[in-house]
Amino acid sequence: MEEIGSTEFQCPSDVFLQIIKGKCKTTLIVLIKKGRNRFGEMRRTLPTISERMLSRQLDELEKDGIIRRESFPEVPPRVEYFLTPYGETIYPIIREMRKWGYIHLEKQQSDV
């Protein structure tokens, strides 16, 4: 980090990337937005991520205020995840970023 005067300077883009970096975090945000917000549903949708890693990514998103976890007093217990109002602000950015990713993947395939 650079120092400007006596204040540390953080690049806003780097702050954004710190929040979304991690295994499947952007996909988790999209799944939750689309209503696939239970742990088991996310786990089945993302078979390449371990339960431990999925739990860790959800915990980090919750800690950063992007999602909230809601427990329902039922038997068996039910837990669902929702985007917070703050998390809703990041969704359009992630949607556009993913669109660009698909375009880039297509470009790579056509270049082969």
Side-chain angles (χ1 to χ4, degrees):
M1 282 179 261
E2 286 180 41
E3 292 251 351
I4 299 178
S6 62
T7 307
E8 281 190 17
F9 174 77
Q10 289 185 309
C11 175
S13 299
D14 290 343
V15 172
F16 173 80
L17 293 172
Q18 273 302 119
I19 299 299
I20 64 163
K21 84 172 185 177
K23 182 129 177 114
C24 299
K25 274 188 179 176
T26 58
T27 301
L28 291 172
I29 291 168
V30 171
L31 289 175
I32 292 168
K33 173 69 174 175
K34 291 184 175 185
R36 204 172 266 182
N37 59 352
R38 295 184 68 184
F39 188 91
E41 291 174 312
M42 290 184 263
R43 180 74 177 95
R44 284 188 295 278
T45 303
L46 302 167
T48 60
I49 187 171
S50 70
E51 284 190 22
R52 181 175 178 232
M53 183 58 72
L54 175 57
S55 182
R56 181 177 170 196
Q57 299 307 312
L58 290 168
D59 287 347
E60 288 177 9
L61 288 169
E62 186 178 12
K63 182 182 130 268
D64 289 328
I66 306 298
I67 64 172
R68 69 178 169 81
R69 180 182 193 270
E70 189 171 334
S71 299
F72 297 88
E74 301 173 353
V75 177
R78 177 171 55 114
V79 173
E80 294 184 3
Y81 295 89
F82 301 91
L83 288 181
T84 62
Y86 182 62
E88 291 283 349
T89 66
I90 201 172
Y91 178 74
I93 300 164
I94 288 171
R95 187 181 61 230
E96 291 303 313
M97 184 178 69
R98 288 170 55 89
K99 281 183 193 175
W100 188 90
Y102 285 122
I103 291 167
H104 185 71
L105 288 172
E106 286 178 14
K107 179 185 177 310
Q108 283 182 317
Q109 290 174 351
S110 67
D111 289 349
V112 175

